[in-house]
Amino acid sequence: MSERLETLKKARDRMIEDRDAHAKVLAAPFERETAERARNKFVEYQALIDALDRAIGGESLVPVKN
């Protein structure tokens, strides 16, 4: 596995951990201000995870240099 692909996968794992923390806040009893911030951050992290998924998928299209 290339170093770039490994870095992307590590970044994705980290963003999933951060996103999951906000999901826990959303699953907790409702507190308006906290829930709104958690919802916004959750969406932000999910968009980043989606971008990382596309980048990881794109790595398979990049020819390996010998």
Side-chain angles (χ1 to χ4, degrees):
M1 181 179 334
S2 74
E3 182 179 342
R4 182 172 37 208
L5 182 57
E6 187 175 325
T7 299
L8 289 168
K9 287 183 176 186
K10 285 180 183 179
R12 183 182 186 279
D13 290 343
R14 174 63 190 273
M15 293 303 101
I16 288 173
E17 289 175 15
D18 291 349
R19 180 203 60 194
D20 289 350
H22 293 289
K24 289 178 183 179
V25 172
L26 292 170
F30 183 77
E31 290 182 33
R32 183 180 191 95
E33 186 175 321
T34 305
E36 287 177 0
R37 184 175 191 290
R39 183 177 56 237
N40 291 335
K41 294 304 277 183
F42 181 92
V43 170
E44 180 182 320
Y45 280 112
Q46 187 59 49
L48 183 52
I49 291 165
D50 292 342
L52 286 164
D53 284 341
R54 290 190 305 274
I56 290 167
E59 281 298 302
S60 64
L61 304 175
V62 175
V64 177
K65 294 180 182 178
N66 292 327

